Amino acid sequence: MGEVMHPVLDVQRVRKIYGQGETEVQALRGVSLTVERGDYVAIMGSSGSGKSTLMNILGCLDIPTTGKYLLDGVDVSRLNDRQLALVRNRRIGFVFQAFNLIARTSALANVELPLAYAGVKAAERRRRANLALAMVGLAERADHEPNQLSGGQQQRVAVARALVTAPALVLADEPTGNLDTQSTNDVLAVFDRLSASGRTIVLITHEPDVAERARRLIRLVDGRIVQDERLK
């Protein structure tokens, strides 16, 4: 029996409503999108467009009010908090604007962290973490602490940490928001390589030059998708 290939993301008519009555806010108004394995998607929108809400739902940090979200074939809307936490840890690699690295701890130990939570043994953790650091071009910086690295290098360590669990989805929220031009290019070059190697990436950004590195661009306005086009 061949395994059925699910899309990595399958979002079906998702609405998200906060508050009720007078204070009700419709953050998402029926969003549907499918992301196949290996795609590289940028999601753009100004503040208030619903892109942060969509990011939280894609990242299993929040659930839809109505509609369905399947991540790698799993219906996330039906999971309890503990199951959601498991899905987050196993199937999603997060990269945030703030690097969220642990100070006074080597790059290698930072990258090993998700594997430590998952109960992987030390030697295997080290092997996988070294591979992930090599993928982001920082193999020779494994023993450096965050304060010994540039912002761009710190974000690349964070990307390695996101990759180390071999997640179905790499979800990056404004990953270059705190970086200068050179560091931004370094980090985006890593995403280009990951995409070329078949990783599935969803990048949330408000910067057009960052978005155009992706293969597909989705634009949100007022909680609806107004544009969804192939870039390459």
Side-chain angles (χ1 to χ4, degrees):
M1 290 287 292
E3 192 188 347
V4 180
M5 289 297 272
H6 305 283
V8 175
L9 304 181
D10 186 2
V11 178
Q12 303 171 8
R13 300 177 306 284
V14 161
R15 293 178 179 273
K16 184 67 187 181
I17 300 167
Y18 295 105
Q20 43 196 295
E22 297 285 296
T23 59
E24 180 178 293
V25 174
Q26 290 206 32
L28 294 176
R29 302 165 183 263
V31 167
S32 296
L33 68 115
T34 309
V35 176
E36 298 296 340
R37 208 162 301 275
D39 208 352
Y40 182 3
V41 182
I43 298 178
M44 288 195 80
S46 53
S47 62
S49 64
K51 76 174 190 295
S52 300
T53 302
L54 181 57
M55 190 312 310
N56 286 338
I57 287 173
L58 296 181
C60 301
L61 301 163
D62 203 349
I63 53 172
T65 305
T66 61
K68 271 171 94 164
Y69 168 41
L70 284 81
L71 171 64
D72 218 17
V74 175
D75 185 348
V76 171
S77 21
R78 307 177 74 108
L79 303 182
N80 62 34
D81 287 348
R82 195 183 61 83
Q83 292 167 318
L84 275 175
L86 273 176
V87 168
R88 275 198 299 276
N89 290 340
R90 291 190 182 159
R91 295 181 192 250
I92 305 172
F94 289 99
V95 183
F96 296 106
Q97 181 169 344
F99 318 130
N100 296 346
L101 299 178
I102 298 170
R104 295 186 294 284
T105 304
S106 71
L108 188 71
N110 268 287
V111 174
E112 281 185 16
L113 202 60
L115 297 176
Y117 286 141
V120 177
K121 292 194 169 59
E124 177 64 8
R125 286 205 304 266
R126 201 166 307 124
R127 188 186 72 78
R128 287 197 216 168
N130 275 313
L131 276 174
L133 281 170
M135 283 182 84
V136 301
L138 289 176
E140 75 293 348
R141 295 271 198 281
D143 58 347
H144 286 49
E145 296 175 9
N147 66 355
Q148 300 170 308
L149 298 170
S150 71
Q153 289 170 331
Q154 289 184 59
Q155 188 59 296
R156 280 150 62 197
V157 172
V159 173
R161 182 185 55 195
L163 292 175
V164 78
T165 55
L169 169 68
V170 175
L171 187 57
D173 187 17
E174 300 282 3
T176 59
N178 288 341
L179 301 178
D180 61 43
T181 309
Q182 181 55 53
S183 297
T184 292
N185 288 335
D186 290 346
V187 169
L188 291 176
V190 168
F191 283 123
D192 289 344
R193 288 208 304 277
L194 295 177
S195 177
S197 74
R199 297 285 181 153
T200 310
I201 304 169
V202 173
L203 173 77
I204 317 276
T205 183
H206 66 276
E207 300 173 62
D209 53 334
V210 173
E212 66 197 21
R213 298 287 283 263
R215 294 183 183 175
R216 177 179 168 198
L217 174 63
I218 293 175
R219 197 181 295 273
L220 281 176
V221 174
D222 290 337
R224 288 193 179 86
I225 292 177
V226 296
Q227 178 186 6
D228 183 351
E229 67 166 308
R230 278 268 147 227
L231 301 177
K232 37 178 156 326

